[in-house]
Amino acid sequence: MKIQVRTAKESDAIAACNVIRSSILRCCAEDHRNDAKLLEGWLHNKTPEFVLRCILDPTAYSVVASMDEEIVGFGSALDTGEVTLCYVAPSMIFKGVGKALLTALEEHAALAGVDALHLDSTRTARAFYLRNGFMAEVPPVQAFGMEGQPMRKELLGRG
């Protein structure tokens, strides 16, 4: 099975939303600690309408990863280089889907002349981003009852 990454389409919003929500629920317990209030805060805007807005946002680039025509990942980054979303279906963790999403976002940003990507990583995703060349910018911050780690990856020489 080969991972395919392409630009997200409007018709991908529901499947991409399902990936995001299941990833948060099943993979991010280290962050939300199964606390109903934290989960509600994290999931309240993770709707198909929200994902559709990301896909249609002219200041963003959104991609989906699929295997056998099933969407198994979703990523989105703003023109500023801010990675706003990068989620993988729980069954596809550690199978290269996240790396494929991130690579597509990096390549698009480099071609657009962006010098670096930046994001706020969850505890769950921190090791993934470190493995993929991101570095912590400052100490972790608290947001919405959870820890976030501001991170950055230089893209100079790409594209």
Side-chain angles (χ1 to χ4, degrees), residues 29-111:
E30 183 179 352
D31 296 289
H32 58 66
R33 302 176 304 279
N34 294 314
D35 179 301
K37 188 174 181 178
L38 288 177
L39 271 169
E40 160 58 24
W42 199 348
L43 293 171
H44 84 276
N45 73 335
K46 303 308 185 287
T47 64
E49 294 79 18
F50 166 78
V51 176
L52 180 60
R53 283 193 304 275
C54 293
I55 292 169
L56 296 176
D57 183 345
T59 67
Y61 178 63
S62 297
V63 294
V64 293
S66 63
M67 291 186 77
D68 296 330
E69 299 183 32
E70 177 187 354
I71 292 177
V72 295
F74 181 78
S76 189
L78 299 175
D79 290 347
T80 60
E82 179 184 0
V83 177
T84 56
L85 298 163
C86 189
Y87 288 95
V88 174
S91 63
M92 300 307 295
I93 298 294
F94 299 113
K95 295 185 179 176
V97 175
K99 183 174 184 62
L101 290 169
L102 206 50
T103 297
L105 295 175
E106 289 175 15
E107 289 173 354
H108 179 81
L111 288 171

